[in-house]
Every structure is written in C-alpha cells, then in structure tokens.
Amino acid sequence: MKIHYLDNNATTRMDDEVLKAMMPYMTDNYANASGVYSFGQDARKAVEDARAVTAKFFNADDPREIIFTSGGTESDNIAIRGAALANAAKGKHIITSAIEHHAVLNVCKALEKEGYEVTYLPVDKYGVVNPDDVKKAIRPDTVLISIMAANNETGSIQPVAEIGAIAREQKIIFHTDAVQAAGKYPIDVKAMNADLVSISAHKFYGPKGVGALYIRKGVKVSAIMQGGHHENRKRPGTENVPGIVGLAKACSVAMDSFKNPKAHEKVKMLRDKLQAGIFEKIPEVILNGHPENRTENTLNVSVKFIEGEGMLIQMDFEGICASSGSACTSGSLDPSHVLLAMGLDHGTAHGSIRFSLSKYTTQEDIDAVLKALPPAVEKLRNMSPFWKNRVTA
Ligand SMILES: *Cc1c(COP(=O)(O)O)cnc(C)c1O
C-alpha cells in the first residue's frame, strides 16, 4: 500500500544529499575524530567544517558557540539543567511555558524536585505566550527563561525575539527550543536575542540521533554527563561523525531553501488546501493553533464528538500517517497538555488530529486524506453517543 506520510513534526525522511554526505564517514573514514593520526584528522576536519556550517545556520558569530548533541532532547537538557546548575549561585527560579515539549517540561519538573522553582506561563487561545506575562514573572532570583520558537503540536510561532529582548535587558539567560522552527524559516540567534538554542537534525531532513546546541559566548553552562573533554567540555562522548556531517548538510540544504522559497510555498499551499478541504467536508471542526502565524507545514484540528485515536486507526487503513496529541503522549490516554493549556475541554482536546507536511508531500497525499477522513469521521460519529446527544446552537 502506498504510504501517505503526514507526520513530519515527528520525523522527516532524510534528504538524499544528506545521506550522500554521511556515507563516507560510515564506511571509508570511520576514524575517531580525536585520533592524532591524519586519518583521525580528516574526521576532525569534517566535524569542524560541520560546526562552521551549523554556526552559519544559527547566524552565530563563532563556530565555538556550537556543540553537537544526540538530538533535541539532549540539547534541551544541557541548556536547561546545564544553565540552571552553572548559575545556581544567582538564584533558582526558572520561567517556561505550559506548552513546551516534554524535553523541556520534564527537565523543569525534575529540577523542581531538586530545589528549583519553576513558573509555567499560560498561553492564549491560539497557543501563544504573551511577553508581558514573561516580564511579570521575572524575580530577582530568575536565572533562566525557556520558551520554544514554534510549537510541535499546533505550529504556533512564539514571540521569541520580544521575550529574548526582555531577558537580555534583565540579564537573564534565554533558551529557545527551535526544533520545530529549524528548516522551516531562518533561525537567527541575534534577532532572537537568544543565549541557548536547541535544534534536532531529524526534524528537517537530517538523520536521527544528532542535534546541536548554540551557546552564546560567555554564557555559563555545566556539562550534565561526565566523561571526556569533547565538545568544549560540555558534552562528553566520541563524536557521531556521520551524524554531525548529516546535520550540517541538512543545515546547508535548509539555507539554500530559504534563498529560493518555492518549496516552502508549496508546503504551505498544500497545507492550506488540506485545511480548506477538511473544513468544507466535515462539520463541527475547529482549528487548533494560530490561523496565520504558524509553521507552514502544520495543521491541527479538533473534530468534535469523536476521538483522535479512532481517526488515526481509520487513516492507517488507508496508509495515512498522522498523529493525535503529541507523538510522545500517544499511547497514554491523557489529552494533549498543549491543547488543554489553550483552554480546550478534554473532549475537544481528545478529538484532535495533526497533519504535518514536508517538501516531499504531494497533492496525492492531500487528496488521500480528503477522501478518507470525511467517511471515517461520519462512521465514528455515528457510533458516538456524544454526537447523537449533541446540542447544536
Ligand atoms: C522532536 C522535538 C524535540 C525532541 O527532539 P529529539 O531529537 O527527537 O530528541 C524537542 N522539542 C521539540 C519542539 C520537538 O518537536
């Protein structure tokens, strides 16, 4: 059966160029980048060239401001725990938001058990943090503000430049999880006034298991794992040379795509077609996320009176891959923390389904959803007591 993959916020297909760049470092040049012999120096050069490209991707001043990690989760952990530990003498208060990825939220929860205090800011009905709330939450002992650039579930883009400016003025470290922004629009650590920025290669056509963290010069971050002196003593462990080369290639593919934004426009056009088609064919649907200011590829809707899980199973019969809530909470029956924070009731949050497109998405994929979803919804609604008993205005 043909697969219609519409779960690109969970992971993406690698770009062929990325795979091509990585191959030599998995076969011919397998050296440890710390080797003193010239074979190892070739691997070292590949890592340092990748660091320069990644620095450019962030618009960073200096490649030494980039460390490579095992992915978005590790970048978030090093940023938050590492900054909290290194700056604990100043205070133990952290500001974040209720809609962060679990790679941020659960680090904050763990730090709360270790004597830190965390403020989880609310969001508006579009899932957007208000910079004024950030300002009001600041205390003399606030050491870190962590607000994501774009949300993985709704695509809503956060006002990080404004929040970063507030943090900079108050001399508080500002971290942003830019995992969902990377590859979709340019990331500029200067424009964002950011001190720490996380990205993950597999969310923008790179390999799984590799990410990067931008650490602005002068910002103190402790290592959270103990080992060798790799990655500026911030992340021990033999460098994942092919992964790092792949991440840098994904960065350069993305930078090229921003110069010629046709592919981005196509993604948005297909996403908008999918959105229009769903609203046209299915009654009682609501859009989750900002109507305009959201990532080009993301469409999250709640289909009232039924459950997202049911729709996903029906979609799977047709080879359609989508998600409900966040991939990390599916398998549990808790509704999405992001949708609840936006004020959705449990039922409507449970009725959410997310389609996330990529540059490989075709009109055929969209047509497949628009053909399969309406009858699936009708079937599920006919079995739903909530649908039969609904009160229509
Ligand atoms: C996927 C994701 C992560 C985690 O990245 P991994 O590389 O899978 O560990 C973190 N934050 C956001 C917003 C994400 O979408």
Side-chain angles (χ1 to χ4, degrees), residues 9-10 70-74 76 101 103 148 150-152 177 179-180 200-203 209-210:
N9 286 5
S70 67
T73 300
E74 195 189 32
D76 286 344
H101 191 273
M148 71 198 324
N151 184 264
N152 44 303
D177 172 338
V179 172
Q180 288 294 336
S200 174
H202 77 97
K203 299 289 177 78
V210 61

mmCIF file of all heavy atoms in Angstrom, residues 9-10 70-74 76 101 103 148 150-152 177 179-180 200-203 209-210, ligand 1:
data_model
loop_
_atom_site.group_PDB
_atom_site.id
_atom_site.type_symbol
_atom_site.label_atom_id
_atom_site.label_comp_id
_atom_site.label_asym_id
_atom_site.label_seq_id
_atom_site.Cartn_x
_atom_site.Cartn_y
_atom_site.Cartn_z
ATOM 1 N N ASN A 9 6.240 16.436 11.784
ATOM 2 C CA ASN A 9 6.697 17.063 13.027
ATOM 3 C C ASN A 9 7.245 16.000 13.986
ATOM 4 O O ASN A 9 7.898 16.335 14.972
ATOM 5 C CB ASN A 9 5.576 17.855 13.693
ATOM 6 C CG ASN A 9 5.291 19.156 12.962
ATOM 7 O OD1 ASN A 9 5.871 19.414 11.897
ATOM 8 N ND2 ASN A 9 4.413 19.974 13.508
ATOM 9 N N ALA A 10 6.959 14.726 13.678
ATOM 10 C CA ALA A 10 7.533 13.632 14.479
ATOM 11 C C ALA A 10 8.915 13.270 13.951
ATOM 12 O O ALA A 10 9.860 13.097 14.715
ATOM 13 C CB ALA A 10 6.621 12.415 14.446
ATOM 14 N N SER A 70 23.101 14.540 20.986
ATOM 15 C CA SER A 70 22.399 13.381 20.409
ATOM 16 C C SER A 70 20.998 13.737 19.917
ATOM 17 O O SER A 70 20.246 12.854 19.519
ATOM 18 C CB SER A 70 22.308 12.266 21.444
ATOM 19 O OG SER A 70 21.459 12.661 22.507
ATOM 20 N N GLY A 71 20.610 15.010 19.969
ATOM 21 C CA GLY A 71 19.295 15.387 19.439
ATOM 22 C C GLY A 71 18.662 16.524 20.224
ATOM 23 O O GLY A 71 19.291 17.136 21.098
ATOM 24 N N GLY A 72 17.416 16.789 19.900
ATOM 25 C CA GLY A 72 16.693 17.895 20.537
ATOM 26 C C GLY A 72 16.557 17.689 22.038
ATOM 27 O O GLY A 72 16.717 18.635 22.828
ATOM 28 N N THR A 73 16.257 16.479 22.439
ATOM 29 C CA THR A 73 16.068 16.203 23.866
ATOM 30 C C THR A 73 17.342 16.499 24.648
ATOM 31 O O THR A 73 17.301 17.162 25.690
ATOM 32 C CB THR A 73 15.648 14.730 24.066
ATOM 33 O OG1 THR A 73 14.419 14.512 23.363
ATOM 34 C CG2 THR A 73 15.471 14.397 25.538
ATOM 35 N N GLU A 74 18.472 16.043 24.138
ATOM 36 C CA GLU A 74 19.709 16.290 24.864
ATOM 37 C C GLU A 74 20.088 17.769 24.839
ATOM 38 O O GLU A 74 20.549 18.318 25.851
ATOM 39 C CB GLU A 74 20.867 15.453 24.310
ATOM 40 C CG GLU A 74 22.008 15.448 25.301
ATOM 41 C CD GLU A 74 23.282 14.839 24.783
ATOM 42 O OE1 GLU A 74 23.563 14.945 23.576
ATOM 43 O OE2 GLU A 74 24.028 14.268 25.587
ATOM 44 N N ASP A 76 18.054 20.285 24.809
ATOM 45 C CA ASP A 76 17.194 20.928 25.807
ATOM 46 C C ASP A 76 17.675 20.626 27.229
ATOM 47 O O ASP A 76 17.705 21.510 28.093
ATOM 48 C CB ASP A 76 15.738 20.459 25.644
ATOM 49 C CG ASP A 76 15.052 21.067 24.420
ATOM 50 O OD1 ASP A 76 15.569 22.063 23.880
ATOM 51 O OD2 ASP A 76 14.000 20.546 24.016
ATOM 52 N N HIS A 101 7.696 21.291 24.827
ATOM 53 C CA HIS A 101 7.906 19.859 24.604
ATOM 54 C C HIS A 101 8.312 19.209 25.922
ATOM 55 O O HIS A 101 8.884 19.868 26.789
ATOM 56 C CB HIS A 101 9.029 19.698 23.565
ATOM 57 C CG HIS A 101 9.187 18.308 23.036
ATOM 58 N ND1 HIS A 101 9.966 17.363 23.670
ATOM 59 C CD2 HIS A 101 8.673 17.710 21.932
ATOM 60 C CE1 HIS A 101 9.917 16.241 22.965
ATOM 61 N NE2 HIS A 101 9.148 16.421 21.909
ATOM 62 N N ALA A 103 10.710 17.447 26.532
ATOM 63 C CA ALA A 103 12.159 17.542 26.727
ATOM 64 C C ALA A 103 12.525 18.788 27.533
ATOM 65 O O ALA A 103 13.600 18.871 28.122
ATOM 66 C CB ALA A 103 12.882 17.547 25.386
ATOM 67 N N MET A 148 9.798 28.031 23.734
ATOM 68 C CA MET A 148 10.053 27.438 22.417
ATOM 69 C C MET A 148 9.797 28.424 21.283
ATOM 70 O O MET A 148 9.018 29.381 21.437
ATOM 71 C CB MET A 148 9.222 26.166 22.227
ATOM 72 C CG MET A 148 7.746 26.404 22.061
ATOM 73 S SD MET A 148 6.692 24.937 22.348
ATOM 74 C CE MET A 148 7.617 23.574 21.706
ATOM 75 N N ALA A 150 8.654 27.536 18.032
ATOM 76 C CA ALA A 150 7.406 27.140 17.376
ATOM 77 C C ALA A 150 6.946 25.846 18.023
ATOM 78 O O ALA A 150 7.765 24.977 18.335
ATOM 79 C CB ALA A 150 7.606 26.946 15.879
ATOM 80 N N ASN A 151 5.635 25.742 18.210
ATOM 81 C CA ASN A 151 5.116 24.567 18.903
ATOM 82 C C ASN A 151 4.975 23.369 17.953
ATOM 83 O O ASN A 151 4.517 23.506 16.819
ATOM 84 C CB ASN A 151 3.770 24.894 19.555
ATOM 85 C CG ASN A 151 3.244 23.735 20.366
ATOM 86 O OD1 ASN A 151 2.435 22.952 19.881
ATOM 87 N ND2 ASN A 151 3.732 23.595 21.582
ATOM 88 N N ASN A 152 5.326 22.191 18.462
ATOM 89 C CA ASN A 152 5.289 20.981 17.650
ATOM 90 C C ASN A 152 3.872 20.487 17.366
ATOM 91 O O ASN A 152 3.625 19.866 16.348
ATOM 92 C CB ASN A 152 6.101 19.869 18.311
ATOM 93 C CG ASN A 152 5.865 19.752 19.800
ATOM 94 O OD1 ASN A 152 6.052 20.720 20.541
ATOM 95 N ND2 ASN A 152 5.432 18.590 20.253
ATOM 96 N N ASP A 177 13.807 26.398 22.439
ATOM 97 C CA ASP A 177 13.775 25.122 21.731
ATOM 98 C C ASP A 177 13.283 25.442 20.327
ATOM 99 O O ASP A 177 12.094 25.707 20.121
ATOM 100 C CB ASP A 177 12.820 24.173 22.479
ATOM 101 C CG ASP A 177 12.564 22.873 21.729
ATOM 102 O OD1 ASP A 177 12.746 22.845 20.502
ATOM 103 O OD2 ASP A 177 12.149 21.900 22.374
ATOM 104 N N VAL A 179 13.523 23.439 17.723
ATOM 105 C CA VAL A 179 13.494 22.180 16.967
ATOM 106 C C VAL A 179 12.455 22.221 15.844
ATOM 107 O O VAL A 179 12.705 21.738 14.742
ATOM 108 C CB VAL A 179 13.249 20.983 17.919
ATOM 109 C CG1 VAL A 179 13.013 19.700 17.141
ATOM 110 C CG2 VAL A 179 14.418 20.807 18.884
ATOM 111 N N GLN A 180 11.282 22.831 16.115
ATOM 112 C CA GLN A 180 10.242 22.864 15.078
ATOM 113 C C GLN A 180 10.379 24.055 14.142
ATOM 114 O O GLN A 180 9.693 24.122 13.122
ATOM 115 C CB GLN A 180 8.842 22.858 15.717
ATOM 116 C CG GLN A 180 8.449 21.534 16.328
ATOM 117 C CD GLN A 180 8.292 20.408 15.312
ATOM 118 O OE1 GLN A 180 8.040 20.636 14.133
ATOM 119 N NE2 GLN A 180 8.441 19.177 15.781
ATOM 120 N N SER A 200 17.352 19.854 16.200
ATOM 121 C CA SER A 200 17.481 18.408 16.023
ATOM 122 C C SER A 200 17.442 18.084 14.536
ATOM 123 O O SER A 200 16.518 18.504 13.835
ATOM 124 C CB SER A 200 16.325 17.717 16.745
ATOM 125 O OG SER A 200 16.346 16.333 16.470
ATOM 126 N N ALA A 201 18.434 17.325 14.045
ATOM 127 C CA ALA A 201 18.568 17.106 12.594
ATOM 128 C C ALA A 201 17.377 16.378 11.979
ATOM 129 O O ALA A 201 16.934 16.712 10.882
ATOM 130 C CB ALA A 201 19.859 16.329 12.308
ATOM 131 N N HIS A 202 16.829 15.384 12.684
ATOM 132 C CA HIS A 202 15.810 14.534 12.034
ATOM 133 C C HIS A 202 14.476 15.239 11.823
ATOM 134 O O HIS A 202 13.605 14.707 11.139
ATOM 135 C CB HIS A 202 15.619 13.217 12.803
ATOM 136 C CG HIS A 202 14.823 13.298 14.068
ATOM 137 N ND1 HIS A 202 13.486 12.985 14.111
ATOM 138 C CD2 HIS A 202 15.158 13.635 15.328
ATOM 139 C CE1 HIS A 202 13.048 13.114 15.361
ATOM 140 N NE2 HIS A 202 14.042 13.516 16.121
ATOM 141 N N LYS A 203 14.319 16.450 12.377
ATOM 142 C CA LYS A 203 13.088 17.186 12.142
ATOM 143 C C LYS A 203 13.166 18.029 10.873
ATOM 144 O O LYS A 203 12.172 18.614 10.463
ATOM 145 C CB LYS A 203 12.775 18.083 13.349
ATOM 146 C CG LYS A 203 12.557 17.344 14.672
ATOM 147 C CD LYS A 203 11.264 16.571 14.719
ATOM 148 C CE LYS A 203 11.062 15.773 15.995
ATOM 149 N NZ LYS A 203 10.649 16.536 17.145
ATOM 150 N N GLY A 209 19.057 11.087 15.920
ATOM 151 C CA GLY A 209 20.109 10.872 16.915
ATOM 152 C C GLY A 209 21.233 11.887 16.872
ATOM 153 O O GLY A 209 22.328 11.625 17.365
ATOM 154 N N VAL A 210 21.006 13.051 16.293
ATOM 155 C CA VAL A 210 22.023 14.107 16.320
ATOM 156 C C VAL A 210 21.330 15.469 16.343
ATOM 157 O O VAL A 210 20.311 15.677 15.685
ATOM 158 C CB VAL A 210 23.035 13.983 15.142
ATOM 159 C CG1 VAL A 210 22.334 14.104 13.793
ATOM 160 C CG2 VAL A 210 24.172 14.995 15.265
HETATM 161 C C1 LIG B 1 11.056 16.466 18.433
HETATM 162 C C2 LIG B 1 11.185 17.590 19.379
HETATM 163 C C3 LIG B 1 12.136 17.552 20.417
HETATM 164 C C4 LIG B 1 12.978 16.341 20.686
HETATM 165 O O1 LIG B 1 13.947 16.135 19.684
HETATM 166 P P1 LIG B 1 14.637 14.704 19.531
HETATM 167 O O2 LIG B 1 15.743 14.942 18.559
HETATM 168 O O3 LIG B 1 13.597 13.781 18.984
HETATM 169 O O4 LIG B 1 15.131 14.312 20.878
HETATM 170 C C5 LIG B 1 12.232 18.648 21.238
HETATM 171 N N1 LIG B 1 11.462 19.737 21.073
HETATM 172 C C6 LIG B 1 10.546 19.814 20.084
HETATM 173 C C7 LIG B 1 9.734 21.060 19.927
HETATM 174 C C8 LIG B 1 10.375 18.745 19.200
HETATM 175 O O5 LIG B 1 9.452 18.826 18.237
#
